[in-house]
Amino acid sequence: MMSETINQKLFYNTVLSQTFSPDGNYLLAGNIYGEVSVFELSKALGPHKVEENELQGPTYHFAAHPNQQVESMVSTNNFLITGTSGEICGWDWKIITSSKAPKSKVAWTIQLPVNKDSYEKPDVNYLVYSKPNNLLYAGCGDNNIYVITLEDGRILRSLEGHIDYIHCLSLIFGFELLCKRAKFICIMGNQLASSSEDGTVRLWDLRKKENTNILTPHLVDKVARPMLGKWIGAIDFTDDWLLCGGGPSLSLWHMRTMEPATVFDLPDEGIHVANIYEERVIAAGAAPHIYHLTYQGETLAKVPTSSNTVYSIVYQEMPQKVLSIAGSSNNLDICTNFNYREMMLKFA
């Protein structure tokens, strides 16, 4: 009976978040049952000793948030950081990448403020980490973005403006060189982009701590898909380009003019992941493929996925080139050449 229940759980398994360890040797994935699986990449990508037709499982596995979901994940040098309902937790890399992993205990926890009107804990839907200043940005279910210092776990402030929950965040650093009395001073310019169920993309100047621009893709006819709603599920940006999609079509916008340059023609039912990678766009969502596209909209590759809906894509170049795809399935799809699926791993 027990194994039947486990099999049923795995049949309905959904992986919401992934990240790599700082040294790039481990891939981690978190699911809707509050569990984290840890894959040692050298083993996973090495000669396979598993039985024929049997997918390789994780090296380690631990319960991070029992009866909750591992909604988001990010890595720092010392900690795996997980986000769930109402809290953000840090896990020591030394422990979770060792045989002690199944008995892992949380190293620290940050509680988020609870809305006094509803007493509901806000979901931590998305996390991004700023290494230069050791700050964590959390996009949450109470419509706020919390700015947290990891020096002592304090919430420094919240960025407010969205009127529905936040799906995704993206962070870039710009560097300006100013000549002052013949001395060059380096100014670090931080910009954050956020996307929300409210249908907007907001750009934030983190030095001035203010919202500098608001984009509403669902109000642009050639981007809008009213049947799928106005929500924006994914965002990424550079100094020149902003990529976003959700209910509205995946689209690439000029940062200077805030006009759409390319509207991608994909057979999806909603976009949950969108990344600018080198000179290409990688995107996925409610469709059993991930798409690699040129900025002009041509398809470079269409990679089949185990999941009918993809919620997470992570990739790295070193020490091994790996792209991992996860979503509404117990399987993770692994590409070492980003244009095709090489193998599958099983979450549990």
Side-chain angles (χ1 to χ4, degrees):
M1 185 66 194
M2 186 68 175
S3 67
E4 216 171 280
T5 313
I6 290 168
N7 286 340
Q8 201 172 4
K9 258 179 79 170
L10 296 181
F11 181 77
Y12 292 108
N13 195 15
T14 296
V15 177
L16 298 175
S17 54
Q18 301 180 94
T19 192
F20 293 104
S21 60
D23 60 9
N25 291 326
Y26 293 88
L27 167 69
L28 294 93
N31 76 352
I32 55 170
Y33 303 119
E35 298 159 345
V36 172
S37 282
V38 184
F39 298 88
E40 192 171 349
L41 289 172
S42 59
K43 276 189 188 168
L45 302 174
H48 306 306
K49 291 181 182 149
V50 287
E51 296 296 313
E52 198 67 38
N53 300 326
E54 175 69 9
L55 296 183
Q56 192 165 336
T59 312
Y60 306 115
H61 187 81
F62 67 97
H65 304 287
N67 307 316
Q68 300 280 356
Q69 301 186 343
V70 185
E71 292 159 352
S72 48
M73 276 186 173
V74 76
S75 290
T76 72
N77 281 345
N78 298 320
F79 299 102
L80 164 70
I81 299 177
T82 57
T84 187
S85 180
E87 63 183 30
I88 295 166
C89 296
W91 307 84
D92 191 320
W93 281 120
K94 289 190 199 73
I95 295 169
I96 59 172
T97 55
S98 76
S99 56
K100 297 175 188 163
K103 297 188 175 74
S104 287
K105 288 199 165 42
V106 67
W108 51 260
T109 302
I110 297 163
Q111 299 290 340
L112 294 180
V114 173
N115 184 324
K116 291 184 182 67
D117 298 331
S118 67
Y119 295 102
E120 271 187 29
K121 292 180 174 182
D123 289 324
V124 181
N125 294 327
Y126 209 89
L127 291 168
V128 288
Y129 173 60
S130 166
K131 193 172 180 176
N133 45 17
N134 203 20
L135 293 179
L136 188 66
Y137 296 86
C140 294
D142 60 0
N143 318 342
N144 295 326
I145 300 161
Y146 292 99
V147 185
I148 299 161
T149 170
L150 292 183
E151 292 297 326
D152 55 12
R154 272 181 314 124
I155 297 173
L156 298 180
R157 60 185 173 276
S158 61
L159 302 175
E160 297 170 12
H162 283 294
I163 56 169
D164 211 332
Y165 59 88
I166 291 160
H167 280 290
C168 189
L169 301 175
S170 180
L171 186 65
I172 58 170
F173 300 100
F175 291 91
E176 299 167 36
L177 287 174
L178 301 182
C179 184
K180 190 175 181 185
R181 293 185 187 169
K183 287 182 185 171
F184 281 101
I185 300 170
C186 188
I187 304 283
M188 189 167 61
N190 291 354
Q191 257 195 311
L192 183 76
S194 56
S195 70
S196 165
E197 187 71 9
D198 65 16
T200 68
V201 169
R202 286 177 178 259
L203 296 174
W204 308 83
D205 182 325
L206 297 175
R207 287 170 299 177
K208 295 178 182 165
K209 304 170 189 170
E210 65 184 25
N211 188 189
T212 54
N213 223 321
I214 302 173
L215 194 66
T216 47
H218 69 280
L219 298 180
V220 178
D221 285 348
K222 63 181 177 179
V223 182
R225 296 189 291 188
M227 294 286 287
L228 297 177
K230 64 182 183 179
W231 57 278
I232 301 294
I235 185 164
D236 198 9
F237 73 132
T238 66
D239 288 334
D240 300 317
W241 300 104
L242 186 145
L243 176 70
C244 63
S249 296
L250 182 72
S251 49
L252 189 66
W253 300 65
H254 285 291
M255 280 291 279
R256 283 181 187 81
T257 61
M258 284 297 160
E259 295 289 328
T262 307
V263 181
F264 299 93
D265 182 21
L266 299 177
D268 66 282
E269 294 290 313
I271 293 290
H272 295 293
V273 185
N275 293 106
I276 297 169
Y277 169 73
E278 292 178 348
E279 291 298 305
R280 70 171 64 185
V281 163
I282 302 175
H289 293 90
I290 75 161
Y291 297 89
H292 295 251
L293 307 149
T294 66
Y295 284 4
Q296 292 72 37
E298 294 153 26
T299 301
L300 297 169
K302 179 181 169 185
V303 183
T305 58
S306 304
S307 304
N308 286 327
T309 301
V310 173
Y311 292 112
S312 170
I313 295 173
V314 291
Y315 47 80
Q316 66 175 17
E317 292 283 346
M318 298 293 288
Q320 292 115 323
K321 187 171 176 177
V322 179
L323 181 147
S324 178
I325 306 152
S328 59
S329 162
N330 190 47
N331 297 341
L332 308 181
D333 300 303
I334 302 294
C335 310
T336 53
N337 171 326
F338 289 2
N339 293 339
Y340 63 87
R341 176 173 64 183
E342 187 175 20
M343 62 186 294
M344 290 182 283
L345 301 173
K346 61 180 182 183
F347 181 91

